[in-house]
Amino acid sequence: LEVLLLDAKTGNTLASVADDRVATDLAGAIDKAARELVGRLNLRAEAIAAERAPAPVNLEAYSIFLEAQRLLQTERVADLQSAVELNRRATVLDPRFARAFVGLSQALQLAMYVLPLTDTEEKDANAEAHSALDRAFALDPKLGEIFIERAGLTLDSEKAEALYHEGLRLAPNDSAAHQR
């Protein structure tokens, strides 16, 4: 991995960082490169320094998660069912991948609205969706999508609004949360 900081006007290289990490720790290599560039440029980086290094993500789990997210967008019942199973698989492959647990909750919530479920199946899906969000929160309590998805599972409108506000504070670019 090589990261270059370029002057946008001239195209000149201001600084560069190279890292020979394997692709499975791409997030760690990017994080290290960003920290090194910040240090070289003598920038204030309290936010970067305060953050813990992100846990490496299993690339197979990430690929499966992305496929599940794509399937959720098709609005087809068979794709929704596949998305639930793919998210479950991603959480098994990488039990530290918080976004996969959020994706599982999203897929289960959509399934509760779209699929013809019995009362027992709906109750089980609801419990699994909550459990997935609890696991995601334990892994990454600053992931705004967790609060947004919890709001979708909350029947109390005041609590839901507070959860949406917190989620948007942590993930201000989440367009789906703004729509909700």
Side-chain angles (χ1 to χ4, degrees), residues 66-131:
L66 290 177
E67 177 61 12
Q69 291 296 302
R70 185 191 69 77
L71 291 173
L72 284 176
Q73 303 305 312
T74 68
E75 299 182 7
R76 288 183 271 194
V77 170
D79 288 348
L80 172 57
Q81 292 167 324
S82 294
V84 169
E85 293 309 315
L86 286 172
N87 277 303
R88 283 181 179 140
R89 184 170 171 215
T91 64
V92 169
L93 282 171
D94 189 349
R96 296 175 300 152
F97 185 21
R99 288 191 189 276
F101 286 96
V102 174
L104 176 57
S105 182
Q106 290 170 329
L108 288 165
Q109 287 184 60
L110 187 55
M112 288 186 285
Y113 290 109
V114 173
L115 300 179
L117 301 175
T118 65
D119 288 343
T120 302
E121 290 170 329
E122 187 171 333
K123 183 179 177 182
D124 290 346
N126 190 36
E128 187 178 0
H130 275 89
S131 178

Side-chain angles (χ1 to χ4, degrees), residues 109 113 144-172 174-180:
Q109 287 184 60
Y113 290 109
E145 291 85 345
I146 297 168
F147 294 90
I148 293 161
E149 293 308 315
R150 277 191 173 160
L153 289 170
T154 302
L155 299 176
D156 181 327
S157 61
E158 288 183 24
K159 283 184 182 179
E161 185 174 352
L163 288 166
Y164 280 127
H165 283 289
E166 180 62 12
L168 286 169
R169 185 185 69 75
L170 295 168
D174 189 326
S175 61
H178 283 283
Q179 287 178 330
R180 291 182 190 177

